[in-house]
Amino acid sequence: MTPTPSILVATWDKGLFSVTGKMVHQELANQSVRSLVDDGQGGVLAIVGGHSLCRRRSDGEWTTIARTELDLSCCVPIGNVVFVGTDDARILRVDPDGAQQCLTGFDAIAGRDRWYAGSAIVDGKRMGPPLGIRSMAATCDGAVLLANVHVGGIPRSTDAGLTWRPTIDIESDVHQVCAHPTRPDIVIAAAAVGLCMSRDAGATWTIEQQGLHAHHCSAVAFGRNDIFVSAATDPFAKQGAVYRRPIDGNGPLLPLGGGMPKWIDGKADTHCIATRDSMAAVIDWSGRLYVSHDDGATWSCPSDRRLTAPSGLHVCGLVTSRQAV
């Protein structure tokens, strides 16, 4: 029997769901899971319960690498070291033995005093996440580490986190940064001003808006040949759309077709677009999962089940099917 690719769906309060074809398997029930990233060893790293950096092996076994009283938000590995962002805009270095070190150089970055928490007034109430590290990325050669501060731009380090320099204007309001898996010079970011593109490993940025119905972008990912980016009119929009464009192209961004609806239910938020080889996945705010097996040319929904409150996606390698719940 041919193995089926598996998609991991992290959620804010219901744990993690492994979707293999039409089968759905729940793990870490009733826990918060965030920031699913490859560990470079065939497994996946994640933030579990807000305070633990954990690893999921390819067979589904979970282990805890490190725990802290800090509120953790995201992570990225470089070799055997994992860099972890926090909800109060700090970065920890976690060594293979679990030892933790706060990167004091990040605390001293120029312009930090101008960072602020992004928020909006909705029905008379102020809503939004705290000032924190929303996403992190490392170039494929490990030479550059990037931290997406919300709201504080994309600080950049070229010495494994010892020192940092600001890059993009903090008012760009960046929501996710993503490094190309094989090309160390190419980095993209989703921001409230549009798709941000760097061709010098995040040192400088251009902003691209052509083709978007709205400029508020929340998620980005690299396909084999294309960039995928989600857009909506505002953080709380009831509908959004997902676009694509060749990585080396300079034309307008084009809406996805091939079975992907023109409008999805709410935006695809940070970390809610994922790819691996020819496979791509998108999940919207309502928890509807869309999957493509041909580089985004055609799309389908593997299950009618809504995986509500999604916090991220990850496309795994090939695994065997599990029993549904």
Side-chain angles (χ1 to χ4, degrees), residues 58 89 98 114 138 140 161 176 193 229 239 244 262 275 308 317 321:
S58 59
R114 296 189 295 114
C140 58
Q176 185 179 353
V193 294
V229 59
Q239 63 182 23
R244 67 187 301 171
K262 179 179 179 180
T275 62
T308 56
S321 299

XYZ file of all heavy atoms in Angstrom, residues 58 89 98 114 138 140 161 176 193 229 239 244 262 275 308 317 321:
117
model
N 8.622 11.387 13.587
C 7.804 11.031 12.434
C 6.760 9.970 12.767
O 5.743 9.851 12.074
C 8.689 10.540 11.293
O 9.454 9.415 11.698
N 8.673 39.627 23.239
C 9.695 40.073 22.283
C 11.117 39.810 22.764
O 11.989 40.664 22.683
C 9.499 41.552 21.946
N 19.168 21.091 26.220
C 18.056 21.800 26.843
C 18.445 23.068 27.564
O 17.577 23.800 28.048
N 10.765 51.740 20.000
C 9.636 52.153 19.160
C 8.705 50.992 18.824
O 7.689 51.186 18.153
C 10.155 52.802 17.874
C 10.922 54.079 18.096
C 11.231 54.795 16.790
N 12.137 54.026 15.932
C 11.810 53.512 14.766
N 10.572 53.650 14.296
N 12.687 52.843 14.043
N 15.347 31.137 9.310
C 16.792 31.088 9.114
C 17.057 30.712 7.668
O 16.373 29.844 7.109
C 17.435 30.073 10.055
N 18.788 28.914 4.494
C 19.085 27.485 4.415
C 20.548 27.162 4.725
O 20.862 26.029 5.101
C 18.699 26.948 3.044
S 19.524 27.760 1.665
N 22.782 35.160 16.387
C 21.983 35.799 17.418
C 22.733 36.646 18.411
O 22.127 37.203 19.328
N 4.520 37.508 9.117
C 5.287 36.260 8.996
C 6.481 36.486 8.088
O 6.377 37.152 7.060
C 4.434 35.114 8.432
C 5.173 33.775 8.417
C 4.336 32.621 7.886
O 3.149 32.743 7.634
N 4.984 31.479 7.696
N 1.276 45.846 4.643
C 1.465 46.680 3.449
C 1.576 45.849 2.182
O 1.728 46.386 1.089
C 2.716 47.565 3.595
C 2.524 48.580 4.710
C 3.970 46.724 3.836
N 0.822 33.583 -0.886
C 0.592 34.613 0.128
C -0.908 34.814 0.313
O -1.679 34.755 -0.646
C 1.277 35.948 -0.266
C 0.764 36.461 -1.606
C 1.118 37.003 0.819
N -13.664 37.434 5.118
C -13.213 36.650 3.979
C -11.810 37.094 3.576
O -11.385 38.205 3.879
C -14.170 36.792 2.799
C -14.264 38.213 2.252
C -15.265 38.312 1.119
O -16.171 37.496 0.982
N -15.096 39.326 0.269
N -0.670 33.629 -5.729
C 0.598 33.010 -6.069
C 1.305 33.848 -7.132
O 0.669 34.615 -7.864
C 0.394 31.588 -6.591
C -0.330 31.524 -7.920
C -0.675 30.113 -8.347
N 0.499 29.265 -8.464
C 0.443 27.958 -8.658
N -0.731 27.346 -8.740
N 1.535 27.243 -8.787
N -12.766 31.673 -4.596
C -12.260 33.039 -4.694
C -12.066 33.636 -3.317
O -11.081 34.339 -3.061
C -13.234 33.902 -5.506
C -12.781 35.347 -5.643
C -13.764 36.156 -6.470
C -13.299 37.615 -6.574
N -14.240 38.428 -7.380
N 3.953 24.014 2.660
C 4.292 23.291 1.436
C 5.366 22.239 1.710
O 6.112 22.329 2.680
C 4.825 24.251 0.350
O 6.027 24.876 0.843
C 3.804 25.315 -0.010
N -11.149 23.887 13.937
C -11.303 25.283 14.328
C -10.128 25.790 15.148
O -9.376 25.034 15.748
C -12.601 25.469 15.123
O -12.598 24.587 16.242
C -13.805 25.170 14.253
N 6.553 14.369 5.646
C 6.913 13.385 4.653
C 5.865 12.287 4.617
O 4.778 12.420 5.194
N -1.236 5.592 7.347
C -2.506 6.140 7.797
C -2.765 5.765 9.239
O -2.307 4.751 9.751
C -3.649 5.636 6.914
O -3.470 6.024 5.590
